[in-house]
Amino acid sequence: MTVNLVVPVLLLHLAAGCGAKAQSVSPAVIDPTVRTEIQRGSARVIVRLRLPAEFRPEGELPGPAAVAAQRAAIAAGQQAVLARLAGTGFTVLRMYSTTPFLALELRPDALAALEQMGDVVLRVINDELAAPSGGAAAPAGPSGGAAEPARRFR
């Protein structure tokens, strides 16, 4: 029952504070690689959301109510970004329920819009393939060849 009350209160808090925060918060930080990629027409990006409280891994939260509140804040932040991107060129590639990120493919107008969302977006980084870390050889994929490298996720 407590969780059901937390979500509406949190959403009201976010809605009430968006206008005030937008004036006092700096624009979202855009990775220079994203600006380079967008010049080619589109860019695949990871958007780091700004949450009302500092994000903490769920294992460090004090209990189920705190986990539910953080997940609700993540969902509300994602919905706020998507609502404000309406009418621009973007595609949602992935929404994460336990971490404050969104994976998107953007056109230039959507990147410009994200840059002005400093109240709900901390940073926008390029979503690129990264080689496996640790110097170990990549495991074999299903066909016997090297497996596709993991996507970088910050």
Side-chain angles (χ1 to χ4, degrees), residues 91-110:
T91 302
V92 176
L93 301 175
R94 175 100 190 222
M95 295 176 68
Y96 303 91
S97 62
T98 61
T99 57
F101 297 99
L102 275 170
L104 304 173
E105 184 166 355
L106 304 175
R107 308 273 308 157
D109 59 339

Side-chain angles (χ1 to χ4, degrees), residues 49 51 55 69-79 96-100:
L49 302 171
L51 299 179
F55 172 77
Q70 182 167 276
R71 287 184 182 189
I74 290 168
Q78 290 171 338
Q79 292 306 316
Y96 303 91
S97 62
T98 61
T99 57

Side-chain angles (χ1 to χ4, degrees), residues 38-78:
I38 208 79
Q39 291 175 355
R40 296 182 183 138
S42 67
R44 292 174 68 109
V45 301
I46 302 292
V47 176
R48 170 73 194 262
L49 302 171
R50 181 185 306 274
L51 299 179
E54 183 178 344
F55 172 77
R56 291 175 43 198
E58 290 185 352
E60 295 177 9
L61 294 173
V67 169
Q70 182 167 276
R71 287 184 182 189
I74 290 168
Q78 290 171 338

Side-chain angles (χ1 to χ4, degrees), residues 77-144:
Q78 290 171 338
Q79 292 306 316
V81 168
L82 297 177
R84 289 165 64 181
L85 282 175
T88 66
F90 77 98
T91 302
V92 176
L93 301 175
R94 175 100 190 222
M95 295 176 68
Y96 303 91
S97 62
T98 61
T99 57
F101 297 99
L102 275 170
L104 304 173
E105 184 166 355
L106 304 175
R107 308 273 308 157
D109 59 339
L111 179 62
L114 276 176
E115 190 167 14
Q116 300 307 311
M117 292 186 207
D119 58 315
V120 290
V121 173
L122 281 173
R123 100 175 19 256
V124 179
I125 62 169
N126 197 42
D127 184 9
E128 59 190 349
L129 294 176
S133 61
S143 63

